Amino acid sequence: MHELHGPGSGRKRPPGWVGTLERRKDQVGRTGRAGRPTGRVRRLATPIGILAAVAGAFAYVGSVDPNDPGHYPVCPLLKLTGVLCPGCGGLRSVHAFIHGDLGAALEANAIATVGYFLFAAVWGLWLVRAWRGQPLRIGLAPVWWWGLGAVLLIFTVVRNLPFGSALAP
């Protein structure tokens, strides 16, 4: 048996065990004993899976027009109160965005359209860091979260007022 923690440690490791990062680098992309992916394949699985789910959702909304009534449910807040939520117009925004009409996407929901670009940037950063074996850590101070909440609240209030009708879908 091989030694686990170096010469003289007295602890043994089972045969076939690879215990250091340097020795595992040559196994990037291979599968382990139980058929589970190891290394880079495993690290990239989550970001690629998320992208596949988002791309599938965008493809569906791009193919089924939300401007035609009856395909999607009505926003419950809009239906019950008549107030537009920050997400109202999001499906129309996705549909326009998929079809290359950025102006119509911004008109339907400007916040959502900005969010698509933000998602793409964060996803790209996540993919690069996963490729390099580094975790994705986005540590935003509470002031940023409060600021984001304030922007969403202001957007919601303004789009429901007469002078903010340009922000309504």
Side-chain angles (χ1 to χ4, degrees), residues 140-150:
L140 294 178
V143 69
W144 287 99
W145 292 110
W146 283 103
L148 178 61

Side-chain angles (χ1 to χ4, degrees), residues 1 8 23 31 35 38 44 47 62 64 66 68-69 87 91 103 118 122 147 153 155 165-167:
M1 289 198 147
R23 293 183 64 195
T31 57
T38 60
L44 294 175
V64 179
D68 296 336
L91 291 174
L118 182 62
V122 170
L153 180 64
F155 176 73
S165 62
L167 294 175

Side-chain angles (χ1 to χ4, degrees), residues 93-143:
S93 175
V94 168
H95 186 77
F97 188 80
I98 289 295
H99 290 277
D101 192 353
L102 188 58
L106 285 166
E107 285 177 17
N109 192 319
I111 292 286
T113 306
V114 170
Y116 310 148
F117 292 105
L118 182 62
F119 171 81
V122 170
W123 183 85
L125 175 66
W126 187 13
L127 187 68
V128 167
R129 293 187 65 81
W131 180 266
R132 293 178 179 167
Q134 301 167 334
L136 177 67
R137 290 196 180 109
I138 301 176
L140 294 178
V143 69

Side-chain angles (χ1 to χ4, degrees), residues 78 82-85 155-162 164-165 168:
L78 180 62
V83 175
L84 296 168
C85 77
F155 176 73
T156 303
V157 170
V158 170
R159 77 188 314 210
N160 284 289
L161 295 173
S165 62

